[in-house]
Amino acid sequence: MHAVSETLGGWYTMPRMRRALLLTAAAVLSGAAIVSGQPGRSGAPAPLSPRNASYTITARLDPATRTITGAETITWRNITTVAAAELQFHLYWNAWKDNRSTFMRERALAPSDGDRRRTADDWARIDVTAIKVGGDDRTAAKRFITPDDDNADDQTVMAVPLAQPIAPGMTATIEVEWRAHVPRPFARTGAIGDFFFIVQWFPKLGVLQDEGWNCHQFHASTEFFSDFGVYDVSLTVPGKWPLGATGVEIKRFENTDGTTTYRYYQEDVHDFAWTTSPNYLERTARFEHPRLPPVEMRLLLQPEHAAQAERHFDATRTTLRYYGEWFGAYPYGHITIIDPAYQSGAGGMEYPTLFTAGTRWIAPRGVTTPEGVTVHEAGHQFWYGMVANNEFEDAWMDEGLNTYSTARAIAQVYDPNVLALRYFGGFVPWVFRDVVLSRETEGNRLPGYRRDAESDTPSTPSFRYFPATGGSITYDKTALWLNTLERWLGWPVMQRIMSTHFERWKFRHPKPNDFFDVATEVAGRDLGPFFDQVYRSSNVFDYGVQDLKSERDGGQYRTTLAVRRYGEAIFPVDVAVTFSNGEHVTEHWDGTDRWKLYTYDRPFPALSAQVDPDRVLLLDVTYTNNSKTLEPKGGSAATKWSLKWMVWLQDCLLSWAALV
Ligand SMILES: [Zn+2]
């Protein structure tokens, strides 16, 4: 089960039965079934997805000139109710043609990116040299369009008007030829030395919806959106360079010119990524579980990280196990983990059946690099890979759900998860074994949310978030409100919300209201007011104890407690009071008014009061004002020391927050 072997090709180590199955599927689907759009005949397994955008691609990489020449045949079926009068394609690499693209202009607003000086050869481009639709040459008709802004210099979306509209239900065959230049890495894409990480690399159709084409320009802080299909891709690279890609290798040719051609195949995915480098080491292992299908794991890693192979597999197993148990099974049977080259900038990114992790040469146990990033990126196979939301518009639906899920999975296995910081340019890690990170606050990235809480309203299309702070809303705020929902409704209900959403929307494109509808339906109560607060507003939550007094009044003590809503956002909170005889009183406040007064007449004075004592509301931006104590329990020395400790801890967490 934990077998690890070093091999030249995962395909050749695959059990014979699996190989036969894959070849059968490939043979069936590369024939009539793809073209007719009616897979499932000839005894092939029923498709998991609509498969309305399938790509057969051949491409050749020339590493010396960093050039890719490619040709693709797209079999596209119009699954909407409207006719398509034109086609729209993403040409993502044109975002890195020069610094006048929308991507580069937006990136300039995010100072943390720290762009290096680039030579002319470090930039990218993708030029479509020919396009035919149903045999009709449309090359002269193609033009660039800018659906999101008026930037006439942006060339990341190409429109191709058609001579004949494609009616609903009809299938078109589209043939495209192109030539592209591989950049020095931008946004986890490109080449450094002889390491090539090739993603978002081919002319790719947008998504036709009943409202028309959804084909956004490439933006600095958002990702991608496309339809599901079958990918059959043949890649020619220098002889014997190991290659990793979406899907599984079904054929390999050694060509007379010394190059190698790999053919990869994958059904029911919406993208295809690949990587090659002569330096990759290959390891394989297997995920097994009593109630989930097995998964062959293939790891391509840098030689200097050879000792960390098992850690990558274990972290991937963590995701496959917990996401599988909580949300639903990973159905593809194989997954490829890429450990990218040092300074390639390719770490921590997801593609169907393939993702990049990222580690360092020194990564002692306790430093959850590579575990944190591996669990997260493997997790995107579920939130993004299968449940395929529009990442341009609703990035929180994959990144936020996945940040919440990652923190939950990490807490199952890496417990306690302790603080680790890196010094000297990231080379030297230091593990603070006595500083335990909590899933609820650090795992869900509370420091980032607190910093940028009001920077954007989540319901704004994600590509319009301010680039420098968008991540805090997309990842951090979403994870915090999901975990708040879990603490409020209980995990059994939350688990059913997540698994129902997964089951209902896998291999489809959910919108935010689809998630909110599932949550309300499963919880059996109207959660609309909650989503109004956390999703349709940028207001912050901050409840606190304004005042607590216990004054002698005859033989009694009169205790008055004033609690206050300091923030604009509203959430029901408990208020707990403890008296000196040990008595506890819990009040349930709907949290709507700006303040509320509680009074008690008791023979004993109050000791302390606390708003939200169980910290259900993880979005509360100032938890330190949530409690008040009338008599310190410890001596003054203990208080002094604990305050010092708190300041030090806060410093650590702030530094940590600045690093992630
Ligand atoms: Zn992510």
Side-chain angles (χ1 to χ4, degrees):
M1 188 168 149
H2 283 255
V4 177
S5 60
E6 188 171 350
T7 64
L8 276 174
W11 171 252
Y12 301 101
T13 60
M14 204 176 277
R16 182 172 301 176
M17 183 129 128
R18 246 187 82 61
R19 280 196 321 222
L21 273 172
L22 285 164
L23 283 173
T24 309
V28 168
L29 289 163
S30 60
I34 283 182
V35 177
S36 71
Q38 293 170 0
R41 293 187 300 177
S42 315
L48 299 173
S49 73
R51 295 187 187 172
N52 63 304
S54 292
Y55 291 73
T56 300
I57 305 178
T58 55
R60 170 181 283 264
L61 168 70
D62 176 3
T65 59
R66 296 216 308 258
T67 303
I68 290 175
T69 36
E72 66 187 6
T73 301
I74 311 170
T75 307
W76 180 72
R77 193 169 79 253
N78 182 350
I79 58 172
T80 74
T81 59
V82 295
E86 67 174 21
L87 299 174
Q88 291 187 9
F89 293 84
H90 294 285
L91 299 177
Y92 290 114
W93 284 20
N94 280 345
W96 309 315
K97 208 168 185 173
D98 54 48
N99 54 25
R100 295 190 302 275
S101 68
T102 292
F103 181 102
M104 293 306 289
R105 286 178 178 175
E106 290 173 350
R107 182 155 149 142
L109 296 171
S112 60
D113 270 336
D115 250 328
R116 299 179 298 269
R117 286 182 68 83
R118 290 172 180 269
T119 67
D121 197 47
D122 292 342
W123 294 83
R125 62 186 299 135
I126 175 166
D127 298 313
V128 169
T129 51
I131 177 160
K132 285 184 191 167
V133 181
D136 180 21
D137 191 338
R138 305 302 298 162
T139 313
K142 69 183 169 65
R143 67 188 207 284
F144 296 115
I145 59 169
T146 51
D148 300 337
D149 63 17
D150 309 325
N151 182 2
D153 292 318
D154 193 77
Q155 301 185 345
T156 57
V157 179
M158 175 181 79
V160 181
L162 300 171
Q164 286 280 323
I166 302 166
M170 296 300 290
T171 295
T173 301
I174 305 152
E175 296 159 273
V176 187
E177 291 172 26
W178 79 94
R179 203 176 152 81
H181 183 71
V182 184
R184 256 177 84 89
F186 275 106
R188 301 176 165 104
T189 310
I192 186 160
D194 49 14
F195 170 86
F196 286 80
F197 195 71
I198 308 298
V199 293
Q200 318 308 340
W201 60 287
F202 54 93
K204 191 175 187 195
L205 280 172
V207 174
L208 187 68
Q209 299 175 327
D210 289 346
E211 305 77 37
W213 281 101
N214 194 295
C215 194
H216 289 286
Q217 294 160 247
F218 198 2
H219 293 275
S221 58
T222 52
E223 298 177 316
F224 314 103
F225 184 44
S226 37
D227 274 333
F228 286 91
V230 177
Y231 283 79
D232 185 344
V233 181
S234 297
L235 300 162
T236 300
V237 298
K240 298 195 168 55
W241 280 23
L243 185 141
T246 294
V248 282
E249 183 186 331
I250 55 169
K251 240 181 195 158
R252 189 186 295 193
F253 308 91
E254 303 300 342
N255 303 311
T256 51
D257 63 0
T259 59
T260 301
T261 299
Y262 297 89
R263 185 172 167 202
Y264 272 74
Y265 180 83
Q266 183 61 56
E267 298 167 348
D268 301 309
V269 291
H270 51 73
D271 198 7
F272 186 97
W274 60 283
T275 175
T276 187
S277 163
N279 303 320
Y280 274 134
L281 291 185
E282 177 172 341
R283 300 283 189 276
T284 59
R286 185 175 163 91
F287 166 78
E288 288 178 332
H289 186 283
R291 296 185 311 283
L292 294 169
V295 181
E296 305 294 338
M297 299 185 287
R298 180 183 186 218
L299 168 66
L300 293 180
L301 86 169
Q302 303 303 313
E304 66 270 26
H305 301 152
Q308 297 178 37
E310 265 311 301
R311 293 177 65 176
H312 287 81
F313 289 133
D314 283 345
T316 305
R317 282 189 187 97
T318 295
T319 301
L320 294 171
R321 175 186 167 182
Y322 288 106
Y323 283 55
E325 290 177 357
W326 296 336
F327 313 136
Y330 178 80
Y332 297 109
H334 52 85
I335 194 162
T336 300
I337 308 156
I338 305 296
D339 168 37
Y342 178 61
Q343 286 190 331
S344 66
M349 190 58 193
E350 68 277 8
Y351 309 91
T353 79
L354 177 148
F355 66 90
T356 62
T359 189
R360 293 298 185 96
W361 174 48
I362 308 174
R365 289 266 163 201
V367 176
T368 42
T369 308
E371 284 81 3
V373 64
T374 305
V375 171
H376 180 88
E377 303 311 331
H380 273 303
Q381 298 301 320
F382 297 76
W383 311 126
Y384 148 83
M386 286 181 270
V387 180
N389 56 287
N390 184 333
E391 295 187 295
F392 292 96
E393 297 176 2
D394 314 307
W396 67 270
M397 294 190 76
D398 56 293
E399 292 300 355
L401 265 66
N402 196 33
T403 300
Y404 160 75
S405 311
T406 302
R408 200 168 207 289
I410 291 267
Q412 310 300 311
V413 179
Y414 306 100
D415 181 30
N417 185 20
V418 295
L419 178 69
L421 300 177
R422 286 183 174 272
Y423 299 97
F424 302 107
F427 272 102
V428 180
W430 186 261
V431 181
F432 297 82
R433 299 213 178 271
D434 47 354
V435 183
V436 175
L437 302 181
S438 104
R439 167 203 161 194
E440 286 77 14
T441 50
E442 288 80 29
N444 293 321
R445 311 187 191 191
L446 179 60
Y449 170 64
R450 287 177 56 169
R451 192 182 55 223
D452 303 324
E454 293 170 287
S455 59
D456 268 298
T457 302
S459 54
T460 309
S462 316
F463 70 89
R464 299 206 187 280
Y465 287 3
F466 190 69
T469 50
S472 300
I473 304 301
T474 298
Y475 292 73
D476 312 356
K477 184 177 184 182
T478 312
L480 288 160
W481 70 246
L482 285 163
N483 203 161
T484 295
L485 208 52
E486 176 186 328
R487 294 170 77 80
W488 188 31
L489 305 174
W491 168 240
V493 173
M494 191 62 189
Q495 187 267 327
R496 283 207 312 282
I497 291 174
M498 299 294 282
S499 62
T500 305
H501 177 65
F502 179 80
E503 187 56 36
R504 191 168 298 172
W505 289 100
K506 63 185 180 184
F507 306 108
R508 299 171 70 193
H509 304 310
K511 292 296 288 176
N513 281 337
D514 297 319
F515 181 82
F516 302 147
D517 289 349
V518 166
T520 289
E521 173 192 319
V522 172
R525 59 199 281 184
D526 180 14
L527 295 175
F530 177 73
F531 296 125
D532 285 344
Q533 301 294 309
V534 300
Y535 175 68
R536 298 184 185 93
S537 154
S538 58
N539 290 342
V540 298
F541 297 86
D542 182 13
Y543 287 93
V545 175
Q546 183 179 350
D547 198 20
L548 173 66
K549 273 199 214 71
S550 273
E551 281 160 351
R552 194 179 276 277
D553 183 9
Q556 298 271 77
Y557 284 89
R558 164 147 281 220
T559 295
T560 52
L561 165 63
V563 291
R564 182 164 276 280
R565 175 165 68 83
Y566 294 105
E568 294 307 311
I570 293 169
F571 186 78
V573 284
D574 281 357
V575 178
V577 192
T578 303
F579 293 89
S580 67
N581 64 336
E583 184 191 352
H584 298 282
V585 175
T586 300
E587 312 281 357
H588 304 290
W589 180 29
D590 66 10
T592 305
D593 290 341
R594 293 310 307 218
W595 59 277
K596 188 157 176 80
L597 188 70
Y598 297 97
T599 55
Y600 307 91
D601 291 311
R602 294 274 200 286
F604 301 98
L607 269 187
S608 63
Q610 197 169 8
V611 183
D612 192 19
D614 300 324
R615 205 166 182 179
V616 173
L617 180 62
L618 296 171
L619 294 150
D620 191 322
V621 292
T622 318
Y623 196 66
T624 46
N625 66 8
N626 278 42
S627 55
K628 223 173 196 110
T629 303
L630 288 180
E631 283 175 53
K633 281 177 193 156
S636 61
T639 309
K640 193 171 134 199
W641 278 108
S642 68
L643 282 174
K644 280 194 173 181
W645 166 252
M646 287 304 293
V647 168
W648 181 81
L649 177 66
Q650 197 170 4
D651 280 350
C652 285
L653 292 176
L654 286 172
S655 331
W656 179 74
L659 292 171
V660 294

